Amino acid sequence: MTSSDASSAPSSEQPADTLSGKTSSFGFRDVDAREKVRMVRGVFDSVASSYDVMNDLMSVGVHRVWKDIAAAKLNARPGEVILDVAGGTGDMSRRYSKMARAAQERRGGKDAQVIVLDYNAEMILAGVHKGGEPEMIWTVGDAMNLPLPDASVDAYSISFGIRNVADIPVALREARRVLKPGGRFMCLEFSRPTTSAMRKAYDLWSFHAIPRIGQLVAKDRDSYQYLVESIRRFPDQNTFKGMIEDAGFSRVSVTNLTGGVAAIHHGWAL
């Protein structure tokens, strides 16, 4: 699917009976899992136009360093199909595309394909407007019901998106399903600071500063209050590692970034 198709891309809705009767966290509240899907869509409809600027302000630019480290960990290669789930405006996919192309120029090989998939069409359209790389394909789809066949991608990436999924174990099983044997899984997500001093400092910044910045820059305090709360509800590094292993991944590793403010979880479909 090309960038011109983004506005009409099919949205792969999670079947109602899969989430029926389940609850999921929306910030500090527990809500019906189906309702969370709608609520998260509303959040990202609201923040799409200011999302990249807000990322810089919220992390004081450090998110760029985290993304560089995560991209190097994934190590995109020529000829691979790379799926960037919750790809948003394409920050990670641009990195993968450039990395694969640089390797192709050194040693040859086929063009990589980097699929930018996001549940929110507004985020995809913001990314298309921002511009992409030749390897990038933009599409709308659901992390819990990926519109791809079994064993069809070489690498799966999700960055700062897994905590917004209504049913994380389902999304992890979908990641395992679409990966080829020997495929790579990589998740970059906010996590649990490893020291009490870091936790206190981070709580002070995130709960007091980030919603205010959201109000001033994006004119939307509530959405950024949700994003801060969603970070606190997300499982810690070891708990999430166990969830990835339960989904069928092997050799799962954890790399803490900035004292555990964020973490990379990496695994293999073996």
Side-chain angles (χ1 to χ4, degrees):
M1 183 173 299
T2 63
S3 60
S4 62
D5 298 317
S7 61
S8 60
S11 176
S12 179
E13 289 280 351
Q14 178 71 356
D17 59 353
T18 303
L19 295 178
S20 179
K22 293 184 179 180
T23 60
S24 186
S25 64
F26 183 82
F28 287 155
R29 290 183 287 154
D30 289 324
V31 298
D32 182 278
R34 290 170 298 182
E35 183 65 16
K36 176 173 178 171
V37 172
R38 293 188 286 270
M39 294 165 77
V40 168
R41 177 185 283 169
V43 166
F44 285 94
D45 279 345
S46 175
V47 305
S49 61
S50 59
Y51 187 73
D52 292 328
V53 172
M54 281 298 299
N55 278 344
D56 278 328
L57 293 173
M58 288 189 301
S59 70
V60 200
V62 176
H63 77 102
R64 296 175 181 269
V65 177
W66 295 340
K67 289 173 179 176
D68 286 344
I69 295 170
K73 185 81 170 174
L74 190 78
N75 189 25
R77 302 160 189 165
E80 290 191 322
V81 177
I82 299 160
L83 177 61
D84 182 17
V85 176
T89 59
D91 264 10
M92 294 302 295
S93 288
R94 290 183 188 87
R95 286 169 168 82
Y96 302 145
S97 297
K98 292 175 181 177
M99 181 176 291
R101 197 182 324 133
Q104 184 183 33
E105 290 169 357
R106 291 193 305 270
R107 63 176 187 256
K110 297 180 180 180
D111 294 343
Q113 292 184 358
V114 183
I115 302 169
V116 193
L117 182 144
D118 199 282
Y119 192 75
N120 188 279
E122 293 299 321
M123 293 291 287
I124 290 289
L125 289 171
V128 170
H129 180 74
K130 187 176 179 179
E133 300 293 329
E135 296 82 1
M136 292 167 63
I137 302 166
W138 303 85
T139 189
V140 176
D142 187 348
M144 298 182 293
N145 188 22
L146 294 171
L148 293 166
D150 295 356
S152 57
V153 304
D154 298 284
Y156 172 108
S157 160
I158 184 165
S159 300
F160 303 116
I162 193 74
R163 73 183 188 281
N164 297 313
V165 174
D167 194 325
I168 292 173
V170 167
L172 292 173
R173 290 195 296 271
E174 275 291 274
R176 181 65 181 82
R177 179 185 68 79
V178 301
L179 278 167
K180 298 175 183 177
R184 311 183 302 285
F185 169 90
M186 194 279 297
C187 176
L188 170 63
E189 186 55 87
F190 289 108
S191 198
R192 197 68 51 86
T194 54
T195 67
S196 59
M198 179 68 81
R199 281 194 293 273
K200 288 177 183 177
Y202 186 56
D203 281 348
L204 202 62
W205 167 255
S206 57
F207 280 109
H208 294 279
I210 289 176
R212 292 179 184 177
I213 294 171
Q215 178 61 44
L216 289 171
V217 176
K219 311 303 181 190
D220 186 351
R221 182 186 183 96
D222 290 345
S223 290
Y224 285 94
Q225 183 69 37
Y226 156 72
L227 292 173
V228 169
E229 292 177 2
S230 70
I231 293 167
R232 291 302 171 277
R233 291 295 299 273
F234 190 70
D236 64 27
Q237 289 91 323
N238 286 333
T239 302
F240 187 49
K241 178 176 182 285
M243 293 170 69
I244 296 168
E245 291 168 338
D246 288 344
F249 288 97
S250 303
R251 294 165 52 190
V252 180
S253 64
V254 181
T255 303
N256 284 316
L257 304 172
T258 315
V261 171
I264 297 168
H265 284 75
H266 186 274
W268 296 85
L270 299 177

